[in-house]
């Protein structure tokens, strides 16, 4: 599963630390997701990240 979290985060002007704090996801876990180390990300975490980024969860899956 490819997630466009890093791209979305940088477009929104947020640092990794800022997104981690806003989403209540640990910075290390978020880094692993962004770098493709963690590929089995729960729906709850995806929703937390989407909410913190101000986008719909589906927008983190596709660039179309």
């Amino acid at each position: 599963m490819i997630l466009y979290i890093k791209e979305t985060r940088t477009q929104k002007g947020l640092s990794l630390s800022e997104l981690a704090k806003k989403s209540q996801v640990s910075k290390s876990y978020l880094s692993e997701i962004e770098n493709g180390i963690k590929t089995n990300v729960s729906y709850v975490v995806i929703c937390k990240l989407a909410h913190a980024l101000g986008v719909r969860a589906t927008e983190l899956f596709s660039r179309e």
Side-chain angles (χ1 to χ4, degrees):
M1 164 174 57
I2 297 174
L3 292 172
Y4 294 95
I5 296 169
K6 185 174 186 176
E7 292 85 349
T8 306
R9 174 179 62 76
T10 56
Q11 285 177 347
K12 300 284 183 172
L14 293 172
S15 70
L16 187 73
S17 296
E18 290 169 327
L19 180 55
K21 186 174 181 178
K22 282 182 78 169
S23 64
Q24 298 179 345
V25 173
S26 76
K27 184 178 169 184
S28 61
Y29 187 63
L30 179 56
S31 177
E32 289 177 349
I33 295 169
E34 286 191 352
N35 291 303
I37 297 167
K38 292 287 183 189
T39 57
N40 190 15
V41 183
S42 76
Y43 179 72
V44 171
V45 171
I46 291 169
C47 288
K48 284 181 173 185
L49 293 169
H51 180 74
L53 290 164
V55 299
R56 292 176 295 169
T58 56
E59 293 178 56
L60 298 177
F61 292 97
S62 175
R63 290 285 118 189
E64 297 175 22

